[in-house]
Amino acid sequence: MTGSPRPRRSRYRRSIMRLRSASLEAYPLWRGRLLFLAGGICVGLAAVLMAKGADLAQEGFRRLLAISPLIALVLTPAGFALAALLARTVFPNSQGSGIPQVIAARHARDARFRYSLISPRVALGKVLVLFLGLFCGASAGREGPTVQVGAAIMAAFGRLTPDRLPGLLLAGGAAGVAAAFNTPLAGIVFGIEELGRAYEARSSGLIVAGIVAAGLTSLWLLGNYTYFGTTQAELPLDASWVVLLIAVTGGLAGGLFSRIVILFARGLPGRAGRFVRTRPIVFAAACGLCVALCGLASGGTAYGTGYEEARNILHGETAAGLSYAPLKFAATVLSSISGIPGGLFAPSLAVGAGLGGTVHGLLPAMPVGALVLIGMVAYLTGVLQAPITSFVIVTEMTQNHAMMIPLMIAALLADAASKAVCRGGLYHTLAEIMLERADVPAQPVAKTA
């Protein structure tokens, strides 16, 4: 009997020590999961605010044009010049879509350079100057900038766990796409195919958690919706040849777009290149003037994200016309090379919708919805050279699963056509240019977080 309480106390202490040890070991894991969830909620909130702000900016521009369309000849060049000035001096690294900055940040080893691409100041500038550009008629989208803002939000949470930062950036960017389009599956695919270019098993579950948190936040605030509305368009089997026509045309056009943007990013040769380098604000104003001319020639449809125009063409409410796709293409090229913030997703989908609508005008017996969906996938694939992301995102945005096989085929054909014009993917090439100019070491793409 004597001495029996002591072994019991000893066993009790050992049990407490094991429980404490298990809790300490589990703490980093649960802390990481909570960071991804909290960051995902914040990304969802940011995506909703950016969507509302972009709509208000475009509505303000439309109201000004209602007074006189000629206002754009002054407002758009002046707005482009101011936006380019702010992006270069006050908010550096906020130019363009923002996706190349996230890719460069994931693969840069220099912490100071990485932070300069995804800092809170850059995120704030991205949002404000994007709204300024849309208020002045820029042909730009908000979804790409949402990726950079999402990555910046996740990076802010990542300061608590710096070893998980690459995974957090990937999750933030993917959550941004998912929340912006209400397409959670496309967010996952985009994160793997475009941002990561390698499957990171260690972070995969947490990335999904971040996307779910962002998506649920967006659904809570905006409700369940499809980006372009539901369509049940189908393509008859005997009309399959049109997939080849639209896919190759869209792929070549998308590759041409990427080639032009990369050419200006690397720097034009000769006097033209010196002019762009030494007078970037004047060049931005000139781009703005040309965008205004495109807008006037298109009756105002070449301005902005192109969401309304693409939606109307998809549902047969508006005929595309022969000039819409080329003018929207030109306006988006000019907006992209001007040096102002702005994404490519929505304008690219609008150009693709215009391409499909143009083919329908030539072949009126074909279902317009099917041709427009193929055009969207083809041109978006041509720009991004990310075929899986392209057909998944269009399928999710319209809830049309009957067209999945034709869209897959269109994506593969467009990807091959695009690579015949531009070998390197747009976003990754731009990221490489950033790393080269910053002269900082980059870790290989294939490495995991």
Side-chain angles (χ1 to χ4, degrees):
M1 297 291 293
T2 58
S4 60
R6 189 172 295 172
R8 278 200 217 102
R9 285 197 297 268
S10 179
R11 285 196 299 270
Y12 178 73
R13 286 199 188 106
R14 285 198 297 269
S15 298
I16 294 295
M17 293 299 294
R18 282 197 297 267
L19 183 60
R20 177 185 289 181
S21 177
S23 300
L24 290 174
E25 290 176 1
Y27 173 72
L29 175 63
W30 284 104
R31 183 180 64 176
R33 289 178 177 177
L34 289 173
L35 286 175
F36 274 76
L37 289 172
I41 292 171
C42 292
V43 173
L45 289 170
V48 171
L49 291 174
M50 290 179 70
K52 296 294 186 183
D55 290 343
L56 288 174
Q58 291 182 99
E59 179 61 27
F61 181 67
R62 282 192 289 265
R63 289 188 179 185
L64 289 175
L65 293 190
I67 300 172
S68 172
L70 297 179
I71 289 176
L73 292 175
V74 176
L75 177 62
T76 305
F80 270 53
L82 178 58
L85 179 64
L86 291 173
R88 289 180 65 87
T89 58
V90 182
F91 305 109
N93 294 318
S94 66
Q95 300 95 326
S97 78
I99 295 175
Q101 286 92 325
V102 177
I103 295 172
R106 288 195 70 242
H107 301 298
R109 289 177 178 157
D110 184 88
R112 184 176 298 177
F113 173 68
R114 182 191 297 123
Y115 181 75
S116 71
L117 297 173
I118 50 171
S119 67
R121 178 172 181 168
V122 169
L124 176 64
K126 191 80 171 186
V127 175
L128 295 178
V129 186
L130 169 67
F131 291 167
L132 172 62
L134 290 174
F135 180 74
C136 298
S139 178
R142 58 175 169 80
E143 295 79 16
T146 306
V147 171
Q148 188 176 11
V149 171
I153 290 171
M154 284 292 198
F157 283 94
R159 291 195 171 191
L160 299 175
T161 55
D163 60 310
R164 306 303 296 271
L165 183 58
L168 281 163
L169 295 180
L170 181 58
V177 169
F181 285 115
N182 189 30
T183 53
L185 182 58
I188 296 170
V189 173
F190 178 76
I192 294 171
E193 183 181 36
E194 188 60 22
L195 290 181
R197 289 284 172 96
Y199 187 71
E200 300 186 358
R202 190 165 71 98
S203 300
S204 59
L206 299 179
I207 291 168
V208 173
I211 289 172
V212 168
L216 288 176
T217 304
S218 177
L219 287 174
W220 176 58
L221 293 172
L222 298 178
N224 194 14
Y225 68 98
T226 48
Y227 192 83
F228 283 122
T230 303
T231 174
Q232 300 301 323
E234 295 185 34
L235 188 69
L237 192 61
D238 58 355
S240 299
W241 60 271
V242 80
V243 176
L244 175 64
L245 172 66
I246 298 177
V248 172
T249 305
L252 292 174
L256 177 62
F257 174 90
S258 296
R259 182 121 188 204
I260 294 171
V261 173
I262 291 170
L263 178 64
F264 274 84
R266 291 197 184 279
L268 295 176
R271 290 185 177 179
R274 285 196 298 273
F275 174 77
V276 174
R277 286 193 303 272
T278 57
R279 299 183 181 275
I281 310 305
V282 176
F283 176 70
C287 289
L289 178 60
C290 293
V291 169
L293 294 174
C294 290
L296 290 173
S298 67
T301 58
Y303 297 123
T305 63
Y307 165 75
E308 291 291 340
E309 290 76 16
R311 191 180 190 283
N312 292 337
I313 294 170
L314 173 64
H315 294 284
E317 298 173 6
T318 303
L322 293 174
S323 63
Y324 174 70
L327 288 172
K328 186 63 176 175
F329 174 91
T332 308
V333 168
L334 291 162
S335 299
S336 299
I337 65 176
S338 66
I340 69 173
L344 302 177
F345 275 95
S348 295
L349 291 168
V351 173
L355 173 61
T358 300
V359 174
H360 177 261
L362 301 175
L363 303 169
M366 298 281 187
V368 61
L371 299 182
V372 169
L373 289 178
I374 294 169
M376 285 179 170
V377 170
Y379 184 76
L380 185 62
T381 299
V383 172
L384 302 182
Q385 293 187 7
I388 302 176
T389 296
S390 298
F391 82 76
V392 169
I393 205 169
V394 171
T395 300
E396 274 199 288
M397 284 192 303
T398 58
Q399 292 296 306
N400 188 320
H401 300 284
M403 285 288 295
M404 185 168 289
I405 297 300
L407 295 183
M408 288 181 183
I409 296 171
L412 293 174
L413 292 173
D415 186 52
S418 175
K419 287 175 179 173
V421 178
C422 181
R423 291 191 178 183
L426 175 62
Y427 292 143
H428 282 264
T429 303
L430 294 178
E432 290 170 6
I433 293 172
M434 290 179 188
L435 291 168
E436 290 170 3
R437 288 183 176 170
D439 193 25
V440 297
Q443 52 190 350
V445 173
K447 285 189 177 181
T448 60

